Every structure is written in structure tokens, then in C-alpha cells.
Amino acid sequence: MDSENVIAVKYRALAAGLDEAMRRRWAATEAKALGRGGATRVSHATGISLPTISKGLRELTKGTRLPPDRVRRRGGGRRPLSKQDATLVRDLRGLVSPATRGSPTSPLRWTSKSTHHMAEALRCQGHDVSPRTVAGLLHGMGYSLQANRKTTEGTQHPDRDAQFGHIAAEVESFQARGQPVISVDTKKKELVGHFKQKGQERERKGRPRRVLVHDFIDDGEGKAIPYGVYDVSDNSGWVSVGVDHDTSALAVATIRAWWQRMGRRSYPQAKELLVTADAGGSNGVRARLWKAELQRLANDTGLSITVCHFPPGTSKWNKIEHRMFCHITENWRGRLLISHEVVVNLIAATTTRQGLRVSAGLDNRTYPLGTKITDMQMAALNIERANFHGDWNYTLHPN
């Protein structure tokens, strides 16, 4: 075995444990032992450059010693681009600054701010920079990848906080009297069929479930409209899966189904019912059909039904959203909703460690749009409006 092969074998055995300073000095020691032409032969055997070996030879000759915690002298190595290019950081900051997002002169006005796009924009401004360097500079400037977060609710109603206080007081009062309190809302409509669902589920490797490329309702079994009732005191709920339209009639029919199947068993002495709901949609403040259907329910059950609406733009505070609907979504992540039966079963199988119980049923009745409630029908309602925001807070008594 010639000397170069011997050096190559040594280097492969030692390389993993050598830092930068030890590597160049070991190479210099081998080159010095070989004599004339030794540096070239060591370079061929190890791939270490001749300048690095020469630097190691100079350190051996001069007896240069570095502090124990360093492998280079202080200030050694190539200067960072931010030091070599005086305007690089300034121009990069200009690209990512929020102030330039709407500027017609910004080169990234209509493109995503990926490191590749930013590097290309900087090269157009005369900076020789790579996407990796851009990523490092952004990290040093305190930037990181961020997703949008839903926190802005638009213009706040001036009575928003007061309405929250009113709802809290009503809930506490009803619960103290042993009367039921429910939170109601419509969950996001779902297409039924072989359509892609968000999320992942464990399958055999390399065998993902195949779904339709496009989400066209004509390619499936229709749609599922889950309307839910969450019992705030009992931590239980009922979901009716509609197949027609999301109307006030479906909303109140779901409340009726909850009362018949769950509510009256849990509250046999109930004389009142408190419903907390959003300000819009099928259970909205201005929906006449919502009030008319609640009056029918009050007449049929003998319950005085009190409704408290959350202020506009605050639907995320509705308890059904973060106590029941979110767990249903988690339960069917990545699952194909191939039939209405599957939707109902997945909803009914939803549980939590805190003891949430959910029951569900299919409501295949038709709920036509455009049902009109006349002024005469509205005048016949036995409705009592609260002193505070009677449009948001009212009670429908049995006739």
C-alpha cells in the first residue's frame, strides 16, 4: 500500500473526531513527515486543500496556539455578506417590511415572500445572495414563517362587553334554578361522497385512499348540514344532519329533537329554556322564521324560551364551537364522508376525556327557502323583550 492510500485510510478513521484546527494540523504533520511534495500527496489523499495544509504548516513552524474554546483566531474566516455589502440588510428589510406590501414599486407586491423570490429580487438590486443566505439574514432579523391567525373580528359593537355580561348573568341564573341552557349553531356544510377531507389517518404505507380531484356536488351524494345543540350544564349534545337547506325551520327542529330525545329526560322539572346563539344565519337576530318556529316550540312544550344572541362578529365565543364542533371535526379528520350514515355515525362517536357525549340523527325532511312570516304573524307572537337590547334578548312564552 503506497503512502497516499495509508494517509487516506488514516483520515477516514480520524476525520469524524477532528475539528477544523486539528484537521489542518494533522494534515500538516503528515505532509511534513513525507518531505518534499508531501502537501500535494496529503491533499490528493484527503481532499484537504493545499492552502489549508500550508496554513497548518505555518502554525506548526511558528508554534501558534489558539485558546482551548476556539478553532480559528478571533476575526478569522470569511466576512459575512451583511458586512461586505453595506445595503444588503436595508434592502432586504425593505422587501419584507409591512409598509411595502401595497407599494406599486415593491418587486414582491404580487408574489409570495419565499426566500427564493427575495433572493431573486435582491439580485435584481445588485446583491449577490442565495436563498440560504436570505433565510439566515431573516432569522437574525427576527423573522420566521407565520400563518394567519383569526383574531380580528371587524368593528366592535359598543355594547359588546355589556352583552357578554348579560349572557353570563342569564346562564348563571338559569343554572342556579336548575333550568336547561343550550348553545346552538350550524357546523360547516360538508359534501357527501368520495371527496378529500383535511387531516390525515393511518393507512398502509403507499396506499392512500383515492378521492375525486374536483369537489363538484353532482359527483357525490349531496350535502350534509349539521345543526347542533350543546347542553352547557350536562356537557352533552345533539346534532341533526340536514340534507336540504340551512333554514330557521331546521334550526328549531333540531332544538325540538334535542328536547324530545335528551332534554326532557335530563330536566323533567324544566319550565324554561335558555338558548344562546349567533347574531346571524338561520338563528339570526333578524330571522322572522326563527322566532315563529320558536313560538311553535314553546306552545308545544310549554317552555318559556329565552334567547340571548352574541353580538355581531363574536361567533367564536359561542360555546358549541369550542366544546363540541371542534371535537367532531377532529374525530373525522382524514375520513371519507361517503354517505350521510357515515356522517351521523362519526358525529355520534365523538367523545372527549372531559366526558362529552354526542348523539346524532339524520333529518331528511325538506326545508324550502324563502318562507315568509307576515306582520300579522309577528304581532301574534307572545314575545317579551328584555330591557337591555330587546333585539338581542327576548323570551317567547307559550300562548
Side-chain angles (χ1 to χ4, degrees):
M1 184 179 294
D2 61 22
S3 57
E4 287 192 17
N5 287 336
V6 172
I7 293 171
V9 171
K10 289 182 181 180
Y11 184 66
R12 285 196 295 270
L14 297 173
L18 300 176
D19 60 25
E20 181 181 329
M22 294 172 64
R23 182 169 58 252
R24 67 173 176 263
R25 292 191 178 187
W26 173 85
T29 301
E30 293 292 338
K32 190 173 182 180
L34 292 174
R36 184 179 180 84
T40 301
R41 294 162 70 182
V42 171
S43 179
H44 288 165
T46 62
I48 301 174
S49 67
L50 284 173
T52 299
I53 297 175
S54 298
K55 182 178 180 180
L57 288 168
R58 290 195 298 272
E59 290 177 351
L60 292 177
T61 302
K62 295 180 180 179
T64 304
R65 303 186 66 178
L66 293 172
D69 59 337
R70 297 190 63 84
V71 295
R72 296 180 181 176
R73 62 179 175 81
R74 191 172 298 278
R78 186 172 60 183
R79 295 176 64 203
L81 280 178
S82 58
K83 299 295 184 182
Q84 299 178 40
D85 189 339
T87 62
L88 174 60
V89 174
R90 183 196 66 191
D91 291 344
L92 176 59
R93 197 182 300 276
L95 291 177
V96 297
S97 172
T100 66
R101 287 180 181 172
S103 171
T105 61
S106 172
L108 293 180
R109 184 184 181 191
W110 305 115
T111 61
S112 65
K113 293 183 178 178
S114 68
T115 54
H116 289 275
H117 285 157
M118 284 187 277
E120 183 178 350
L122 289 170
R123 284 194 291 269
C124 291
Q125 297 180 32
H127 303 287
D128 185 14
V129 65
S130 69
R132 184 182 293 274
T133 301
V134 170
L137 290 173
L138 289 173
H139 180 74
M141 293 160 60
Y143 286 89
S144 64
L145 292 174
Q146 302 282 340
N148 296 335
R149 179 178 296 177
K150 291 183 178 181
T151 55
T152 304
E153 297 175 345
T155 304
Q156 292 186 6
H157 194 283
D159 295 329
R160 166 184 154 151
D161 291 344
Q163 177 64 3
F164 281 144
H166 178 82
I167 293 174
E170 286 288 275
V171 170
E172 184 177 347
S173 175
F174 269 71
Q175 289 179 328
R177 300 196 302 272
Q179 302 300 305
V181 178
I182 61 174
S183 170
V184 301
D185 199 8
T186 308
K187 193 182 184 303
K188 182 176 76 70
K189 301 176 182 65
E190 301 287 350
L191 292 178
V192 178
H194 286 78
F195 300 105
K196 179 179 175 59
Q197 281 288 323
K198 293 182 179 180
Q200 297 176 328
E201 188 180 31
R202 293 192 179 277
E203 300 284 352
R204 291 294 297 274
K205 187 175 181 181
R207 296 174 60 183
R209 294 195 178 187
R210 300 183 182 277
V211 297
L212 295 171
V213 175
H214 301 290
D215 292 347
F216 296 141
I217 191 171
D218 293 339
D219 295 332
E221 303 296 324
K223 57 187 176 180
I225 308 170
Y227 193 95
V229 175
Y230 174 70
D231 187 334
V232 176
S233 304
D234 192 50
N235 193 25
S236 62
W238 170 268
V239 178
S240 289
V241 179
V243 299
D244 191 34
H245 296 103
D246 177 19
T247 69
S248 299
L250 171 63
V252 178
T254 304
I255 299 175
R256 183 187 297 271
W258 166 81
W259 175 251
Q260 293 174 345
R261 291 170 171 81
M262 303 175 71
R264 63 184 177 187
R265 290 202 305 267
S266 300
Y267 305 95
Q269 305 301 321
K271 297 181 180 179
E272 303 170 273
L273 172 65
L274 175 61
V275 180
T276 61
D278 295 344
S282 58
N283 46 235
V285 171
R286 299 181 180 180
R288 286 188 167 194
L289 183 59
W290 162 252
K291 295 182 178 67
E293 290 292 330
L294 284 177
Q295 181 67 71
R296 285 183 53 204
L297 180 61
N299 295 343
D300 294 342
T301 60
L303 296 171
S304 292
I305 303 175
T306 299
V307 180
C308 292
H309 291 278
F310 286 93
T314 62
S315 59
K316 69 178 183 179
W317 297 100
N318 202 347
K319 290 190 183 300
I320 193 172
E321 294 287 351
H322 50 85
R323 290 195 180 178
M324 190 171 81
F325 281 167
C326 64
H327 300 299
I328 294 174
T329 301
E330 178 71 14
N331 192 50
W332 70 28
R333 72 185 191 280
R335 303 289 293 272
L336 298 187
L337 307 180
I338 59 176
S339 69
H340 289 95
E341 181 182 7
V342 169
V343 174
V344 171
N345 288 337
L346 285 172
I347 292 174
T350 302
T351 59
T352 66
R353 293 180 180 177
Q354 287 72 37
L356 173 67
R357 297 173 291 107
V358 183
S359 299
L362 182 65
D363 187 341
N364 53 17
R365 290 171 290 185
T366 59
Y367 294 97
L369 299 173
T371 302
K372 301 294 184 182
I373 303 298
T374 65
D375 291 344
M376 185 177 297
Q377 289 174 300
M378 291 298 294
L381 298 180
N382 188 8
I383 187 169
E384 177 187 356
R385 298 188 180 275
N387 294 329
F388 175 74
H389 261 290
D391 54 337
W392 291 350
N393 308 291
Y394 49 86
T395 300
L396 291 153
H397 298 286
N399 282 324

